[in-house]
Amino acid sequence: MKSHQRYTAEEKNVVQGYSEMFLDVKNRGEGAFIPFTVAGDPDFETSLKIVQQYVDSGADALEIGFPFSDPVADGPSVQAADIRSLNSGMTTERCFEFIDRIRKFTSIPIGILVYYNLIYKIGLEEFYRKARKSGINGILAADLPPEESNDAVYMAKKYKINQIFMVAQTTSNQRINEVVKRCSGFLYVVAVMGVTGARSDIKKSTVDLIKRVKNHTKLPLVVGFGISKPEHVSDVIKSGADGAIVASAIIDIITDKLDDMDVAKDEIGSFCRELKHSTK
Amino acid sequence: MELSGSHVIPVETGSKTLKDAINEAFRDWITNVETTHYLIGSTMGPHPYPIMVKHFQSVIGNEARKQILEKEGKLPDAVIACVGGGSNAMGVFSGFIEDKDVELIGVEGGGDGIETERTGATLCKGTEGILHGSLSFVLQDDNGQISEAHSVSAGLDYPGVGPEHAHLKITGRANYVAVTNQEALRGFELLSKYEGIIPALESAHAVAYAEKYSKVIENSEKTIIINLSGRGDKDMFLVAKEMGVEV
């Protein structure tokens, strides 16, 4: 069987870890720019081209959503992307193939955002094994509370994957301590109260949260939810975050330009370059 | 609800049914958590909601147990209730769970039939899964994507079910069955005609199953409690349409 196995990215030893990436970025005096997309939105091949565009336009890491029928943490942009992706025939299996394909053109860290039923259905060990094989660095299960995460954290360690957790403004200091015990790779700091989606400005409360969380952990802090403009990115980086995830604002370009994905790709490229520039 | 002063917002996402209304309620809650408390009318969602709702609904079971002892001088042989998310069933069951001789029967919305794709019978047809923050039975595909449920009754049109019902099913303490839309409409008609009580379409499922149950010879002498969880006023237009009556 071994002779038929393709080289995974890991065996080629080209996958960059989160700690390595954050260190590199820090040494350059920048923050990490991490664009998000839903795997297979609007279809497998187009989605792959969009990810390629992210990489070519300065992404330091990637955050890839596995589409789910009931994404309760997501606002309208990501919901619509999930539906487009599922309608195009994406399954969990195809999502792993998608990551596999991304690994053919980049070694930057790849995190996935997933809802726990997708993991549960395949089986925890099988999911983490496949994740590792396809070259995934981090798994964030949006609806998995830390109290229920022991099995997932165990599997993550076993398969050398970073289990990533979220903290928000409503997270108490005590709970932050519980979360960071289980978290590795980076800590996802939720910038706004609510679901994913583009917002008009970064509130002082987000800045305060970044500062508060820094007292509890040395993990890199990545801010997401509502980060939709270059100013937002520079604001959170200046406030001490190590990176920013941009999702809905980019997905909105896909949604607007479904008829002409070439134009969308160009627009995404220039938007990403602008976002990356604002991490400096 | 509007007469009572609430602001009702229709759900426009997904299948536009109960599951999507719950998604939207969650989304609203996590956005406004500092000023808003989430309430759910069923024994589902993340801990501790299933327990809270069971506790509130347990007045039905406690009251039913007290009343049947007064009226019949004995416990019932069976308690029959409809199950969507499972609140009224959990409420009435909770009064009798410790009475091991009392048969507990949950009746799901079978839709066009559990052998079809158009069904809401989560416990009869679903598999283990995680939806809305709890592990229970769900209607889902092989990849874990949640399926759309179907039932003539809006309250049973849900692809999940309260986790404690999953527990009662697995431990064998309660049995879960399904009746079809057509059977439920017959239940609706029966109770309206013979008792002058118009049941909610949800409860009509329990009535329909009670008829089937009591027609089995060995059940003919049994004392049964049917939980009537709601009034059918809300369903009149729908029932008229389903029965081909012009109103």
Side-chain angles (χ1 to χ4, degrees), chain A residues 202-220:
Chain A
I202 294 292
K203 297 214 162 57
K204 186 180 170 291
S205 51
T206 307
V207 176
D208 293 344
L209 176 63
I210 295 167
K211 291 185 176 152
R212 183 160 67 94
V213 176
K214 270 201 168 300
N215 295 328
H216 295 268
T217 183
K218 293 206 158 45
L219 280 170

Side-chain angles (χ1 to χ4, degrees), chain B residues 85-107:
Chain B
S87 60
N88 90 85
M90 195 49 70
V92 73
F93 287 178
S94 70
F96 301 94
I97 284 178
E98 301 304 324
D99 303 315
K100 302 291 181 205
D101 293 333
V102 178
E103 198 180 346
L104 305 177
I105 303 169
V107 187

Side-chain angles (χ1 to χ4, degrees), chain A residues 67 69-71 74 117 120, chain B residues 19 23 27 128 130 145-146:
Chain A
S69 54
D70 293 82
D74 287 298
N117 198 45
Y120 190 82
Chain B
K19 129 182 126 77
N23 290 345
R27 287 171 185 140
E128 269 184 51
I130 295 156
Q145 304 293 343
I146 308 303

Side-chain angles (χ1 to χ4, degrees), chain B residues 135-211:
Chain B
L135 170 62
S136 185
F137 281 73
V138 292
L139 295 172
Q140 59 186 328
D141 70 11
D142 295 341
N143 293 295
Q145 304 293 343
I146 308 303
S147 313
E148 283 183 24
H150 291 281
S151 170
V152 68
S153 114
L156 307 186
D157 203 356
Y158 178 61
V161 66
E164 196 165 346
H165 283 294
H167 173 74
L168 293 178
K169 178 189 162 83
I170 288 171
T171 56
R173 179 62 192 95
N175 293 323
Y176 294 89
V177 297
V179 304
T180 64
N181 291 341
Q182 281 311 310
E183 290 170 323
L185 287 166
R186 175 167 162 77
F188 184 93
E189 228 180 320
L190 269 181
L191 200 70
S192 304
K193 193 166 165 185
Y194 291 105
E195 299 289 343
I197 300 170
I198 303 168
L201 266 178
E202 290 79 5
S203 321
H205 285 71
V207 176
Y209 187 74
E211 190 201 12

Side-chain angles (χ1 to χ4, degrees), chain B residues 6-42:
Chain B
S6 39
H7 178 42
V8 181
I9 308 167
V11 57
E12 301 294 347
T13 54
S15 56
K16 303 183 186 181
T17 63
L18 181 56
K19 129 182 126 77
D20 307 286
I22 293 168
N23 290 345
E24 286 306 321
F26 272 147
R27 287 171 185 140
D28 188 276
W29 184 34
I30 60 179
T31 307
N32 301 300
V33 67
E34 282 170 320
T35 55
T36 310
H37 193 73
Y38 178 67
L39 295 174
I40 181 161
S42 199

Side-chain angles (χ1 to χ4, degrees), chain B residues 58-71:
Chain B
S58 67
V59 291
I60 307 169
N62 295 338
E63 186 65 23
R65 191 173 190 281
K66 198 173 153 212
Q67 283 191 24
I68 196 123
L69 286 173
E70 275 169 21
K71 302 237 190 261

Side-chain angles (χ1 to χ4, degrees), chain A residues 145-150 153 157 163-167 171-184 187 216-217 219:
Chain A
E147 290 82 355
E148 304 286 339
S149 70
N150 289 350
V153 170
K157 284 197 178 120
Q163 189 72 29
I164 291 155
F165 288 90
M166 293 172 161
V167 294
T171 310
S172 67
N173 290 337
Q174 193 190 354
R175 197 171 164 81
I176 292 175
N177 289 336
E178 286 302 311
V179 169
V180 298
K181 266 190 232 165
R182 295 168 169 86
C183 185
S184 68
L187 184 62
H216 295 268
T217 183
L219 280 170

